[in-house]
Amino acid sequence: MWAEAVKVGKEQHAKGDLKDIQYGTAGFRTDAKLLDHVMYRMGILAVLRSKLKQAAIGVMLTASHNQEKDNGVKLVDPKGEMLEQTWESLATTLANAKDDELETVLEDIVKSQGIDLSLPSSVFVGRDTRQSSPALAQAVLDGIQSVEGCVIDCGIVSTPQLHYLVVCQNTKGEYGEASTKGYYSKISKAFKAFRGNNPVNGKYSPKLMFDGANGVGAQKMKEFLTFLGDSIQMEIVNDGTQPGDVLNADCGADFVKVQQTSPKGLKETRGERCVSVDGDADRVIYFYNDKESGQFAMLDGDRIATLVAEFLKDMLDQAKVSLNLGIVQTAYANGSSTNYITQKLNVPVACVPTGVKHLHHKAQDFDIGVYFEANGHGTIVFSDAAQAKIRETAASSNSIQAQKLAHLVDVINQTVGDAISDMLLVECILHAKGWSIEDWRQAYQDLPNRQMKVRVADRNVISTTDAERKVVTPKGLQDEIDALVKKFPQGRSFVRPSGTEDVVRVYSESDTQDNADQLAYEVGLKVH
Ligand code: 16G
Ligand code: ZN
């Protein structure tokens, strides 16, 4: 069984003495040069998982918002979720096995998981636009073929497109047609049906500026526009086609969120609604530069979550559909957003550790779970019963709200956070309300905040609890943070080891930007 896999592994995709690597929050992610053998082995692992689950599995090659020289890979489970936790450690063991140990490790996985190797498999492989991606994708294909797995090569796709394709395949088309064309047509049809014929409403204008991070988001947005027609007017910048365009360099959702400034190409805009996506188009951030003052203002994942939850709540009330709605956030959520949700919206809010798998999982506790990380990654999940109820009400009553809700469900890519689908959702809601981006920002005032990275010898000496809001080890550090926080009005701060970089992250918020910066700085000193 393994002869070919071992031979090709040794001859073409050897690990040699490359250093070990760990399957983290977003799969394996590091310098692209270190990943060839990892890709090959993940191809094999995906085949095994597919045989076990008797369903299609996805393999996405991307390093999201990381610099161009990095790359990464993650496996997508049958329902579009992130890879199950026990398999994360199998992935780590397989990736780090010595070339001579490959057969033994594969045999162990098959035995421990009870995999029937005679069953068929199918693996959907997608990649982002990085220069290293074609060769690394070939390594994944080689892995799949070495064990005679069946591969569906999706070429360049956004991460959320790959999740969508896997889910469509596994629901036999119930979620949609398993092709990028199916994805564009489902979402654009629902978008147009929701908005009706007039793209303008009140203070809402259909014009917006789109920062594609010089990555796959720009390419896919262009394709999308051919389906959206003139229901939206968009200018795309940072599309990766100009000389000197580098993926994620001074642009993209992560840059805008962390630097709290406009990306290149959009610095001079005033009064325009702007949107940035990240390198694999699963995160979205809105922003604008004020018409008069030119001052930068950002609307992040927290803003999208509150906008969406409030709108859904109103629509459900008006349509007289009773379903429980909740919001899931992480410690990074701005304190003002959490107050707004609990005090003004009266919607329950849950806090979970960073990472999509935690948010997605928790969101499934509600009939309608709205989950967003502040960094702009998120979506809305509807239980089967909730969807059925919305569709039944839409079909059996004259409620326009129920009909609109039914369309909105189809604008949303429920399989994972999707920058473009999320953006279209926001555009639907702003259109329905007749709101400008300034109107949207009026809901609450963000507390000034700061994010910082601290390099330490070993980030894993820091462990946390309470959804990463409290430090457990090293002992005494939490007391020191508490003492600092007390000195700052409306102060809040936490530290956590990054799951994707070799750093410790510090977050702080306070009444003024200076205070937030100072608090982050002082907490950072305690971490060193
Ligand atoms: C990954 C996560 C993202 C999280 C980020 C935090 C997935 C698919 N992605 O990109 O949700 O916000 O890691 O990174 O789970 P950090 O641990 O380095 O702060
Ligand atoms: Zn991403």
Side-chain angles (χ1 to χ4, degrees):
M1 170 68 198
W2 307 113
E4 180 71 5
V6 170
K7 181 168 174 280
V8 177
K10 258 195 195 144
E11 289 172 4
Q12 293 171 38
H13 302 289
K15 174 173 189 283
D17 48 16
L18 288 179
K19 65 176 185 209
D20 284 1
I21 176 171
Q22 197 185 343
Y23 198 100
T25 345
F28 293 108
R29 196 182 285 186
T30 184
D31 193 313
K33 291 199 193 83
L34 307 176
L35 282 168
D36 180 74
H37 68 287
V38 178
M39 296 293 173
Y40 176 73
R41 294 168 185 202
M42 287 310 104
I44 302 177
L45 191 70
V47 171
L48 296 182
R49 182 119 184 106
S50 174
K51 285 178 190 280
L52 176 69
K53 291 283 168 185
Q54 274 308 282
I57 294 292
V59 178
M60 182 69 200
L61 281 79
T62 180
S64 186
H65 57 279
N66 284 37
Q67 48 186 333
E68 154 76 27
K69 76 172 185 56
D70 287 351
N71 215 322
V73 58
K74 54 189 168 191
L75 265 57
V76 178
D77 259 354
K79 289 185 189 153
E81 306 105 312
M82 301 296 146
L83 181 65
E84 185 190 301
Q85 209 136 1
T86 48
W87 275 65
E88 287 185 3
S89 39
L90 297 181
T92 301
T93 310
L94 181 59
N96 295 331
K98 297 204 172 71
D99 293 310
D100 289 341
E101 296 167 353
L102 210 50
E103 178 161 357
T104 326
V105 172
L106 287 168
E107 235 359 281
D108 282 352
I109 295 176
V110 169
K111 277 214 192 85
S112 71
Q113 302 300 311
I115 298 167
D116 179 350
L117 291 173
S118 68
L119 291 171
S121 65
S122 99
V123 181
F124 281 61
V125 181
R127 60 183 154 93
D128 70 13
T129 55
R130 284 163 205 272
Q131 282 171 27
S132 57
S133 289
L136 291 175
Q138 189 56 51
V140 175
L141 302 193
D142 288 353
I144 297 171
Q145 277 149 8
S146 76
V147 288
E148 292 171 13
C150 168
V151 56
I152 295 92
D153 184 356
C154 306
I156 295 177
V157 285
S158 69
T159 294
Q161 283 181 325
L162 188 80
H163 284 250
Y164 171 91
L165 294 172
V166 168
V167 172
C168 290
Q169 179 70 18
N170 288 330
T171 54
K172 307 211 164 26
E174 204 180 290
Y175 191 68
E177 186 195 305
S179 66
T180 46
K181 183 168 168 282
Y183 166 91
Y184 297 127
S185 15
K186 175 181 173 178
I187 297 178
S188 57
K189 199 170 140 222
F191 178 80
K192 288 184 197 163
F194 180 93
R195 304 216 322 176
N197 292 330
N198 194 351
V200 182
N201 185 30
K203 285 196 265 170
Y204 175 85
S205 134
K207 175 155 191 281
L208 78 163
M209 314 290 289
F210 184 94
D211 157 27
N214 292 323
V216 63
Q219 285 187 16
K220 299 302 154 185
M221 193 63 239
K222 285 183 187 173
E223 289 174 22
F224 223 135
L225 286 178
T226 64
F227 288 78
L228 289 164
D230 38 2
S231 56
I232 203 141
Q233 291 164 22
M234 185 180 284
E235 198 177 310
I236 301 179
V237 302
N238 303 324
D239 67 352
T241 64
Q242 304 304 312
D245 275 357
V246 178
L247 181 70
N248 298 325
D250 298 325
C251 60
D254 194 66
F255 172 85
V256 173
K257 172 69 183 161
V258 176
Q259 305 301 325
Q260 307 192 26
T261 181
S262 300
K264 78 175 165 53
L266 293 177
K267 296 239 182 270
E268 304 308 322
T269 59
R270 284 204 180 194
E272 304 272 15
R273 194 164 71 254
C274 303
V275 76
S276 277
V277 305
D278 73 336
D280 60 339
D282 61 357
R283 291 189 193 176
V284 62
I285 295 286
Y286 272 82
F287 63 92
Y288 64 95
N289 295 306
D290 188 74
K291 258 192 232 100
E292 270 87 54
S293 66
Q295 207 193 347
F296 169 84
M298 174 169 64
L299 294 105
D300 61 4
D302 303 340
R303 295 280 181 174
I304 300 176
T306 48
L307 178 79
V308 173
E310 183 164 25
F311 186 75
L312 289 177
K313 194 167 177 259
D314 285 351
M315 298 282 278
L316 290 166
D317 285 350
Q318 288 173 36
K320 299 199 173 47
V321 176
S322 156
L323 291 168
N324 77 57
L325 174 94
I327 298 187
V328 186
Q329 299 188 313
T330 71
Y332 287 105
N334 196 278
S336 297
S337 75
T338 315
N339 287 342
Y340 183 79
I341 296 163
T342 47
Q343 288 160 21
K344 290 266 166 37
L345 299 186
N346 272 322
V347 167
V349 52
C351 186
V352 298
T354 304
V356 172
K357 63 181 174 206
H358 302 294
L359 287 114
H360 193 95
H361 183 72
K362 186 69 194 170
Q364 288 170 330
D365 285 354
F366 302 100
D367 293 332
I368 302 178
V370 177
Y371 75 83
F372 270 90
E373 293 189 297
N375 63 26
H377 187 119
T379 187
I380 296 94
V381 288
F382 297 79
S383 69
D384 288 345
Q387 292 188 61
K389 208 163 177 180
I390 291 170
R391 294 198 203 283
E392 269 160 33
T393 315
S396 67
S397 76
N398 291 327
S399 162
I400 293 174
Q401 282 79 15
Q403 286 157 11
K404 288 212 155 199
L405 265 176
H407 294 315
L408 215 50
V409 172
D410 284 342
V411 172
I412 296 164
N413 181 353
Q414 294 186 52
T415 66
V416 80
D418 181 331
I420 296 180
S421 148
D422 287 339
M423 177 198 78
L424 293 173
L425 171 65
V426 168
E427 295 297 314
C428 280
I429 297 175
L430 295 181
H431 176 268
K433 288 178 168 284
W435 273 7
S436 66
I437 192 161
E438 290 90 350
D439 293 332
W440 176 16
R441 191 155 168 265
Q442 294 312 314
Y444 60 84
Q445 196 83 41
D446 270 321
L447 277 170
N449 57 88
R450 178 60 60 202
Q451 288 190 45
M452 250 176 46
K453 294 182 195 185
V454 183
R455 290 197 189 275
V456 293
D458 178 10
R459 68 184 148 144
N460 291 318
V461 299
I462 297 198
S463 65
T464 63
T465 183
D466 190 22
E468 304 180 317
R469 290 173 292 190
K470 290 237 152 7
V471 173
V472 179
T473 59
K475 272 216 158 47
L477 178 56
Q478 187 58 47
D479 292 338
E480 293 186 302
I481 296 175
D482 289 343
L484 289 173
V485 163
K486 268 201 205 120
K487 297 196 315 192
F488 292 85
Q490 294 173 278
R492 185 170 75 90
S493 180
F494 65 88
V495 302
R496 54 175 284 277
S498 157
T500 63
E501 269 186 272
D502 202 7
V503 295
V504 171
R505 298 206 192 279
V506 176
Y507 175 90
S508 73
E509 59 190 35
S510 186
D511 60 338
T512 64
Q513 192 61 54
D514 282 352
N515 278 343
D517 292 352
Q518 184 64 23
L519 177 55
Y521 174 73
E522 290 188 24
V523 170
L525 290 180
K526 300 288 179 197
V527 172
H528 271 295

